[in-house]
Every structure is written in structure tokens, then in C-alpha cells.
Amino acid sequence: MKRIGSYMVDLYFRYPLFRRAPRLVLFAALFAIGAALVFQNRRVSTNPVGWERSLQVSTFNVVARDVSAASRGDIIALAFEGRAGGAQGIYCALSLDGGDRIGAPVRVAVVRSRTAMHPYPAISPSGELIVVWHAYVEAESSTRIFSSVSGDLGATWSQPRKIDLGKDMEMLPRIYYDDRGQAHLFYHGTVEDTVNLFHAVSRGGLEFEEARSLIRLTSSMRGAFFPSITMSGKQFYIVWQGKDEDFSDDLYLIRSSNYGRTWGGKRRITSSKGNNASPSVVMQGDTLYVAYQNNDEKSWAIRLLRGRDRGGSWDERPLEVSTALTNCYSPVIGLSGGDLMVLWYDTRDGGARIYARKYAPVENALRQEAAVSEARYESRNPVVVSAGRRLLVFWEERNVIMGKQTDVYMEPPAVFSETNPEGTWSRLPFVVMKWRTPRDESGLSGYAAIVNDIPDFNPTVVNLGPNVTTEKITDNLKDGVSYFHIRAVDGAQNYSRTVHYRLQLAVNPMPAPVVVSATTPQGKATEERNAEFSWGIDDMERVKGFVYHLSKDSVEMPGDFTTGTTMSFSDLEEGTYFFTVAAIDKTNQVSRVSTYDFIIGPPDSVIDPEYYQRIAEEESRFMKRFRPVPGPRPAPDGAVAARGPSVAIQFPFDPRQAVERRSFRALIVPRNIGPGSMLGYSVYIDGAERPVPRRVTHRGPVLDVEGLRDGDYYIGVRGKYAVTSDGRTMHYWTPPHVERITVRGGVAPSPYIRYARGVVDRLPPRVARIAILCIGLGIVMTTFGFGSRIAFHVQRARFRLGLLWRLGRKRMSG
């Protein structure tokens, strides 16, 4: 032993290779472990348009084959046969999110069998999983069907259990759950060397009743094989391959309308000179679609047949799906949103490869073929399953199970703006929007973008290229709240969710608020010593608050800040008063000033053009020297609204008395609702009272009423407002508010009379009487002073007209 040890030490120091050997072994071991971790379930590929990346379902250490799939809601179950570590068994992999992620496969059972076991999964309405398969039983020298069940979404599985069905041989099982939660087992069975299709129903657990044959075999029908089953409520449909008396193959349909208790007679749905085999059926609406193999042209091709009225009438000629001049095998069909997808494998490229072709039922058109699997490995035996709008396909590829799903999702762009950050108001006359390009397997086709004032608008026209990431907007911008809507569109024409970016613009000052008062008419004298004012502006969401002021004898600009829209004053002395109010927006811009003048007691001053000029000058000086006012003060703790949200109408008169005005302005006043929460109003004006509809017909609080005639009118209003709670915005309507007014004004005056009356109404009564008296005296003096001269000119005109008339008659007679 010492000699061996010394010999190894001598080799270690004499030859450098032996000194590097431990490091090489350690490096190789680490590399092998890293490669296993990196390449497990990570095989990806560049995909055709409309498909996402490939993914490997089975793990690298399992030799897998014979995959099948089932789905219910967002749960997808995959079952396949695998061999790992010298043990043969059944494996199951699950997805709980509609195929976004597929978990690692779990071995359901260790099974020994001489033949392929063809496992098939099913999902009950309660979420219970079951996998069935057939295996060769040495003691019986036959194949039997086994099952295993999981009640915890695949975490644990029951021991394999043989299902006793009483046939000479049972094989190729398929199991389904109906909408009542009852299990249905379909399989091939042999009785006296004849192969037929059988159906067994579970009455409780997995105890199946005695199976019944589905097909009556005769001398003209020698066998039934390879059924494809689809269910819709209590309606079951089976399309199967039948062997005719001349040993040719055709497709047949049988159906049940009572959950499979009884079945109707078979119906032949294909008629061609060749063979028709391997059907795959799916139902969309009231139409059955069957994809199958046909060899009329000597090589196997894929065809699509439609059975309208739930299989009541079938096409005379099928649609030709495959175009390759080579053999095509194993067609399957599934739903992909509103379209159908037919998949198969063929050898046009020298090796087996999965191909797909989409069919649009609305257009009755087939799209172009697309290679789904890679060309570097042989790909065979596709299976499909649908989850929502998404279709997933799985296949065998070089001892692994691969999968891919249709591209039905487009990620929205990430949108931002440096000129208009969200939640802030901007005075810039333009908007610069930016966004980050989303990634998609089918490539980016472009963007659909638009600016308007509709909060939830979804653009549909692609107007920006895929390389655009910035947009400067100068047109279609207006003050207030608007929205930049943008959504991405990928190469498969999938639209992303729309991003609604809120823009808050305050480029121009707001207009002057509209002021109304039912107690004090504007420009007129009144004996009422209490004054109440209400005001409003259309763009209330832009408003930060208002400044107001009440002055006597001379106009003064507003300076007192409030967030309300009403103000009252009591015990006013006699004199001329001026109530001024202006709006302040959230960028601290001041609007034009509204001046409301009124007189208490007898008029003590004359309002002339110089008076209005002084008001304009004061307003101009006010706009120049105005400084931002502080924000609204918070409400005191414990302040609670006395009533719920509501709206009312504030008229510039007392609505209980008859109104002589046929046109006026009123205000819609929200109560217990924040100004920024109002979304609009529903308003009607009618001669009869009726319910106020829940439909926004009026945006702002200013209500212009014109063209009224004598009679009674009802004005109804209700408001729509938003409430945000826990990050969710809910929309509500206030209770309806209806006011009745009576109009009494005789014949409607002409526009000139209306204008003159408006001028007179703004003057104090004494000034108006003096003006009318002066105008009347002027007319009288003019008439009397020039009466004789006017009479002379009238007589001369009559004489000349008469002379011309007589001369004309004389010439006519001569």
C-alpha cells in the first residue's frame, strides 16, 4: 500500500496533468450542475406572429411521450407517460392561471407496461383531478384501465386503481366531467375479437356502472375507432372513425341530448373516394367543426368540415387546410378567442414539425400556415386545450414535452410626461407625451393614440409607428381636464389595455363666474335688507376657490377667499352696493371679475357710462396686482354634512311667483359634493313633470334658459358624481330635483324691444322715467316744429306723381 501511495505522489509531482486533474473534475461537476439548472424548462425560440415562446413542460431527466390535456376555467392539466431513473410512470403538470405558468410535473404513479399507456386527465367542477390510463396486466394477458385521483390540485395522488369494466380488453381511455360533476369514461373495448366504443358513467366516486357499447356493429360496419368528444351542457357529440365493409374509413357522428343516457343513430358525415381518419371535433355557437386526415390525393392531407345546426347539416365539400405535398398527421382543433386553430404535423422539411392554420368563422377564411415548432428537432402528436381567449398546444419533441400558446395579450406602454406630470395643472400651451416601448412575441405594429375629454375612450385607429416613443401635441387642446389615450397593437393585431393619461391644462384665464340672486334684482332698487348670492362656473374641476367682496357706494375688487359658491349678507343699510366675485384656478390664475350691483332703498346715485368705465379700470388694476391666495382651510374635526349628496337650482328670481322673463340664467348648485367630484348633470325643461333620466346631458353648473312661452314649466335636474374609496372609483347619481316655474309675459317682444328693455332694466326707475320723458319730448318738438314743411314736401310729391301718371296715359292713347 505504501508503494502505491508513493507511486501516486511521484506521478502527482512529476506530471503537471495530474496536478490539474482535481480542479478539472471539480470544474466539470460545477458546469454540469449549472447547465442542468439553466437549461431545465428554458428552451425558447423565435416565434411566428400570433404565437408566444416555446416552453418545456417535462424536466430534462424524464423521457416523456404521449401527452394529453384538459382544462376547466383557468386550470389546465397535462398528463404524459415518462421514464426516469429506470422507473416507468404517469406524470401530471398543472397550470392554475390559464397557461401563464406551468408547474413542475409530479409523478402520479409508477406503472409497468409493455405498451404505451396513453394517459388522459380530467378536472371536475369542484376542482378534483383525475388521470386515467391503460396498462398491460401480465396476470390477465390483457390491457386494463387504471385511475388516480387528487383532491388538492395535484399535490398528492391516490394509489392507482383498476376500473372493472368486464371486457376482454379495455384501452385508450378518455374521461370527462359534465356540468353536474358526473364522470364519463369513453374507451375502446374488445368483445369476441371485435373492437367497439364504450361509455361508462360514474354514479359516485369512481364506481362506474356497466359500460354500454355506443355503436351497433354489423357486416357493413366492421369497427369503430378514435372518438373525439365535445360537450355542451347535456348535449354530447362524438365524431369517430368507422371501418366500412370494404375496409375503407369514414367519419360518423352520434349524439345524446340527455347527458349520455341514450344515444341517437349514427350519421355518416364524410363521402369521398379515399379514407377519412383521426377526427378532432369542437363546437362554436351552433356549429360543429371537425378536422381530420384525408388521402383522396394519395398522400394524407388535413381537411375541415362544418356541421351547422349542431350537426344537422354538413358541408358537401370540406375546406382544404394543409397545403404541403407531403403526408400530414394527427390533426387537432381548438378555439382561439372567436377563431379556430387547426394544428397537425408533417414532414415537408424532411423532419416532423408542428404546423398551424387559423380559421375565422365570421369571414369563412383560412389564414396562412405557420410553423409552430422548431425545425431542429422532430415534433409529433400535438394536443390542444383552450383557456379563455388563449389556445395552448403541446407536443412530443425528442423525448420531452414542449408547449406554446397563442399570442392574445399585448402589454400596454408605460406613459409619462415631463411637461404635464399627473395630478398637476400646467399653463404650457402644448403637451409632450412619452412612453416606453412594450415587448411582445409577435412584434409591435404601432400605437393607437388620441386626445379628447372622454375619460374611458378606447382608440382603434393605429396612427403612430412602432418606433415612435414621443408625441408633441399642440392641436385639440383646451383648458380643463382632458385625456391622452394610447394603446399598443402587436403583429397579431392584439390591442393592449388603453392607458388614459389625465391632462390638466390652465393656459387661459377662466371666464367670469355667473352670479344670481333671488332676493336682490341686479341694478334695481329693493326694500329687502338681506342679500343672498349664488355663483358658478362651468369648469369647476379647475377651480381652486373664489375671491369675493361687498362694497358700498364705490366698486372694490374681491379679496376674501372662499371655496363655497354662496354668500349671504344681512341688515344692510340703504345705498348702492357692489358685489364682486372672481374664480381662482389651481395654477393661481384669476378669472375675469363679475360685478353685481343692487340698490337698497331709494336710488342715491346715477349710473352712467362713466360708472361702467370705472368698473373696467378697477378690474384691470385688480388683474395686475392680484397675488395668489392660500388654499382652502380644512373643515373642522367632526364636521358632518347634514344631508346626503344632492343638487338644487338657484334662480335669479323667486320661482314661487310668475316670471315675466322668457330667458334667464340659473345655477345648478351641488350640495355635500366636492367640486372636483361632479361629472355632469341630467337636465330637462318640459311642460309636464317626468322622471329625470340617468344620462349626462349638461356638463357645467350654468343653466341658460331661452325661448320660453307663457305657461307652466318643469325643470328637472340630477347630478352624476364620483367617489373614490380604497383605490376604486364608483359613480353615483343624486336624487332628482324638480322645480316648477310660471311664465306670464304676453306676446314675445322683438329682439330690439328685448334689448331696449334690458338696457332700461339695468337703470334705476327714476333714471328710466327721465330718459323716456326726454325721448318723448324730442319726438313731439320735432313733429310740431317741422310739421308745415313735411306737409309741403308730401303735397309736392303727390303732384309730381299725378303729373307723371297723366302724361303716361296720354301717350298710350295717342
Side-chain angles (χ1 to χ4, degrees), residues 499-539:
V499 177
H500 309 285
Y501 193 95
R502 181 183 171 100
L503 302 174
Q504 301 175 162
L505 300 176
V507 179
N508 302 300
M510 292 181 293
V514 175
V515 183
V516 298
S517 175
T519 58
T520 54
Q522 185 171 11
K524 295 184 178 181
T526 179
E527 298 298 329
E528 177 64 40
R529 298 303 180 98
N530 299 326
E532 295 180 359
F533 299 98
S534 298
W535 59 88
I537 199 166
D538 280 335
D539 195 4

Side-chain angles (χ1 to χ4, degrees), residues 259-587:
Y259 290 103
R261 287 195 295 271
T262 59
W263 295 84
K266 65 180 184 295
R267 175 176 179 173
R268 182 174 174 177
I269 63 174
T270 57
S271 57
S272 60
K273 60 184 180 181
N275 292 305
N276 303 285
S278 300
S280 176
V281 63
V282 72
M283 173 177 280
Q284 187 193 51
D286 289 334
T287 303
L288 291 173
Y289 294 89
V290 180
Y292 62 98
Q293 295 176 202
N294 173 269
N295 65 352
D296 286 354
E297 305 299 329
K298 303 307 179 183
S299 61
W300 288 106
I302 308 302
R303 301 287 184 261
L304 179 64
L305 197 63
R306 297 171 298 184
R308 297 176 177 82
D309 300 326
R310 295 179 175 260
S313 61
W314 291 84
D315 293 342
E316 293 184 6
R317 296 187 59 184
L319 298 174
E320 298 181 359
V321 178
S322 62
T323 59
L325 299 178
T326 185
N327 284 323
C328 304
Y329 304 102
S330 300
V332 288
I333 187 171
L335 295 174
S336 178
D339 298 329
L340 292 98
M341 191 76 72
V342 181
L343 297 104
W344 69 93
Y345 78 91
D346 62 43
T347 57
R348 70 181 73 180
D349 298 322
R353 193 176 183 187
I354 308 297
Y355 283 85
R357 197 168 187 188
K358 183 182 287 188
Y359 172 74
V362 175
E363 304 169 14
N364 188 23
L366 286 161
R367 305 286 188 251
Q368 293 234 333
E369 292 179 354
V372 177
S373 63
E374 306 236 14
R376 55 183 177 177
Y377 300 116
E378 296 258 332
S379 308
R380 303 176 184 274
N381 303 326
V383 297
V384 298
V385 66
S386 297
R389 291 178 49 83
R390 180 177 293 162
L391 179 136
L392 297 94
V393 57
F394 304 93
W395 65 88
E396 304 170 23
E397 182 179 303
R398 201 183 182 190
N399 296 328
V400 297
I401 305 301
M402 299 295 295
K404 186 175 284 192
Q405 58 188 355
T406 52
D407 184 5
V408 297
Y409 174 76
M410 180 65 200
E411 181 183 350
V415 184
F416 59 97
S417 175
E418 296 173 355
T419 59
N420 299 75
E422 276 194 295
T424 62
W425 289 80
S426 172
R427 293 191 188 182
L428 294 176
F430 60 88
V431 172
V432 177
M433 300 302 305
K434 297 182 179 180
W435 57 89
R436 298 183 181 92
T437 303
R439 300 181 61 184
D440 190 82
E441 298 300 327
S442 297
L444 186 62
S445 176
Y447 301 93
I450 194 173
V451 175
N452 59 31
D453 57 357
I454 304 174
D456 53 356
F457 185 82
N458 291 314
T460 58
V461 178
V462 178
N463 52 4
L464 297 176
N467 297 322
V468 177
T469 58
T470 302
E471 178 77 359
K472 183 176 181 179
I473 305 165
T474 57
D475 299 330
N476 300 325
L477 292 177
K478 52 185 181 179
D479 291 321
V481 176
S482 57
Y483 297 87
F484 175 72
H485 312 280
I486 186 171
R487 60 200 305 200
V489 184
D490 68 6
Q493 297 304 300
N494 296 309
Y495 282 75
S496 75
R497 172 182 59 82
T498 303
V499 177
H500 309 285
Y501 193 95
R502 181 183 171 100
L503 302 174
Q504 301 175 162
L505 300 176
V507 179
N508 302 300
M510 292 181 293
V514 175
V515 183
V516 298
S517 175
T519 58
T520 54
Q522 185 171 11
K524 295 184 178 181
T526 179
E527 298 298 329
E528 177 64 40
R529 298 303 180 98
N530 299 326
E532 295 180 359
F533 299 98
S534 298
W535 59 88
I537 199 166
D538 280 335
D539 195 4
M540 286 296 292
E541 194 165 6
R542 180 180 164 187
V543 173
K544 176 182 180 181
F546 299 90
V547 286
Y548 70 94
H549 187 70
L550 181 67
S551 60
K552 184 182 178 184
D553 298 332
S554 63
V555 60
E556 297 179 10
M557 288 299 103
D560 300 320
F561 184 77
T562 180
T563 57
T565 56
T566 61
M567 188 59 60
S568 61
F569 304 92
S570 59
D571 297 330
L572 297 177
E573 300 177 354
E574 292 185 355
T576 302
Y577 287 87
F578 302 91
F579 178 74
T580 54
V581 62
I584 309 298
D585 71 13
K586 292 176 181 176
T587 65

